Amino acid sequence: MKAIVQDAYGSADLLELREVERPVPRDDEVLVEIRAAGLGPEVWHLMTGRPLVARAVLGLRKPKNPVQGWDGAGRVEAVGAKVTDFKPGDEVFGNCEGSFAEFARAKAAKLALKPAGLTFEQAAALPVSGMTAFQALSGPARPKPGQKVLVIGASGGVGCYAVQLAALYGAEVTGVCGPGGADFVRAQGAAHVIDYTTEDITGGPHRYDVVIDNAGQRPLPVLRRALAPRGTLVIVGGEGGTAMFGGLSRGLRAVLLSPLVGQNLRNLVSVARREDLLALKDLAENGKLVAPVDRTYPLAETAEAVRHLEKGHPRGKLVITVP
Ligand SMILES: NC(=O)c1ccc[n+]([C@@H]2O[C@H](COP(=O)([O-])OP(=O)(O)OC[C@H]3O[C@@H](n4cnc5c(N)ncnc54)[C@H](OP(=O)(O)O)[C@@H]3O)[C@@H](O)[C@H]2O)c1
């Protein structure tokens, strides 16, 4: 089969389209014939092996899995011996390891039937970003109707879903994005938009009940100043930080500080699970959540797609299509 392969950590120049062996699903796995694959910062982290601490899991000297890709949508080709909930021919979406390929293995527990009415491209734009936004806005961070929510990094993959979900829950949403992103963020349901190049998140008249932080590596005291005295902050991500830890130390500091202050300071590590995919599927099928695809690239142009991601400013998701 054809796949995007990388033999060492590094830049997008190392991504090559090659013929490789088709993967064989384990007992609890499904072999998916990939039709589309989502592309986000997680792929950049797998590609570069950054932050360096992640190599303890990804492979110390080179990627354990040389085939790139994380999210996928496609048709079930075969199922492992213990898989009873999918059959060949089912259209599915979810976390497919090595999805920049004609076929990829996926844990059955991290897959669900594709939302009816969505294209494979739209379905591939949902899993990691949609589940992350869904989990970020759960528990104490789920806003009550009328509460004020700030989504930092509102025009990107996670942010576009966070804005939609917070608005769906009845919150008054303010989205933070760069110049040119305001119309897109408003279209996702934000009532207000802050341009991070000209305005400060603490500049407005009020404090937010929930802050979802996807970008910018703002120091904790700045985020806390934007938050209501009893509000909830969820640190989701943000590029930059040190070579060894990236932005991870900020999340750790938030968790350590949280018991000592009135605000609830959380760090999210999202988990791929079917129940959340099913919740997203239900919302998508009922027209309550859309999967915005900024641009698609054919498999052979994956390196170009990663360069687009690195330069920044995709509105919603970039998606790789597999013929
Ligand atoms: N915790 C988890 O489990 C988890 C899961 C998934 C992703 N993540 C992480 O979450 C982060 C966001 O992912 P994503 O897929 O949404 O990325 P993305 O698609 O690249 O979006 C980034 C967003 O941040 C905005 N932005 C850039 N610099 C900013 C700044 N200084 N202040 C405010 N906004 C800024 C961008 O706006 P412009 O384009 O207008 O500049 C864009 O809206 C990444 O770091 C990713 O690794 C974490």
Side-chain angles (χ1 to χ4, degrees):
M1 68 165 189
K2 290 189 173 52
I4 295 295
V5 181
Q6 135 187 51
D7 298 321
Y9 291 119
S11 74
D13 297 344
L14 300 178
L15 300 177
E16 279 179 27
L17 183 68
R18 269 194 230 154
E19 277 299 323
V20 297
E21 296 262 314
R22 193 189 277 196
V24 176
R26 301 191 180 113
D27 284 359
D28 60 344
E29 290 178 343
V30 168
L31 182 66
V32 180
E33 182 189 3
I34 298 291
R35 298 292 307 280
L39 170 62
E42 65 288 346
V43 169
W44 184 89
H45 291 291
L46 296 171
M47 182 184 87
T48 56
R50 298 284 175 130
L52 294 171
V53 68
R55 297 189 187 194
V57 179
L58 303 177
L60 280 182
R61 292 180 188 284
K62 59 180 187 172
K64 275 188 210 158
N65 182 4
V67 180
Q68 284 293 334
W70 190 258
D71 279 344
R75 277 200 188 84
V76 173
E77 173 75 5
V79 298
K82 292 189 182 148
V83 175
T84 54
D85 23 24
F86 297 105
K87 59 181 187 320
D90 283 346
E91 295 186 344
V92 292
F93 77 124
N95 180 202
C96 305
E97 203 177 312
S99 59
F100 295 169
E102 289 177 313
F103 294 90
R105 288 170 22 216
K107 294 265 181 227
K110 297 181 180 183
L111 280 185
L113 290 177
K114 180 172 83 66
L118 260 60
T119 62
F120 284 112
E121 288 82 5
Q122 290 166 326
L126 259 179
V128 68
S129 302
M131 283 191 281
T132 300
F134 186 75
Q135 290 165 20
L137 285 159
S138 64
R142 180 164 172 147
K144 294 180 183 60
Q147 285 195 318
K148 293 181 170 55
V149 173
L150 180 72
V151 177
I152 304 174
S155 56
V158 176
C160 70
Y161 295 117
V163 171
Q164 289 185 62
L165 289 170
L168 185 69
Y169 298 153
E172 180 184 327
V173 185
T174 301
V176 184
C177 64
D183 287 348
F184 174 82
V185 171
R186 281 207 181 84
Q188 307 312 303
H192 318 281
V193 177
I194 293 174
D195 175 348
Y196 65 79
T197 63
T198 55
E199 292 168 72
D200 193 278
I201 61 164
T202 55
H206 48 244
R207 298 288 165 258
Y208 298 93
D209 301 293
V210 176
V211 174
I212 305 295
D213 183 27
N214 298 313
Q217 296 286 345
R218 286 171 181 76
L220 263 188
V222 174
L223 295 170
R224 290 190 59 209
R225 276 204 298 280
L227 194 62
R230 296 262 152 208
T232 301
L233 163 71
V234 184
I235 295 186
V236 172
E239 299 308 308
T242 64
M244 180 57 77
F245 295 108
L248 296 175
S249 56
R250 214 168 49 114
L252 181 62
R253 271 182 278 127
V255 171
L256 292 175
L257 183 63
S258 190
L260 309 177
V261 296
Q263 297 165 326
N264 189 343
L265 311 176
R266 303 159 71 87
N267 181 57
L268 179 76
V269 179
S270 67
V271 193
R273 53 185 174 224
R274 188 183 303 154
E275 61 189 275
D276 290 358
L277 288 170
L278 289 173
L280 296 174
K281 169 179 155 71
D282 188 51
L283 292 171
E285 287 178 343
N286 286 301
K288 294 180 176 165
L289 188 77
V290 297
V293 176
D294 180 313
R295 186 166 166 192
T296 63
Y297 287 85
L299 185 65
E301 293 173 23
T302 298
E304 202 44 49
V306 173
R307 290 186 196 106
H308 180 172
L309 182 80
E310 284 172 331
K311 278 186 217 125
H313 315 307
R315 310 280 177 238
K317 293 289 292 187
L318 301 178
V319 171
I320 305 297
T321 56
V322 185

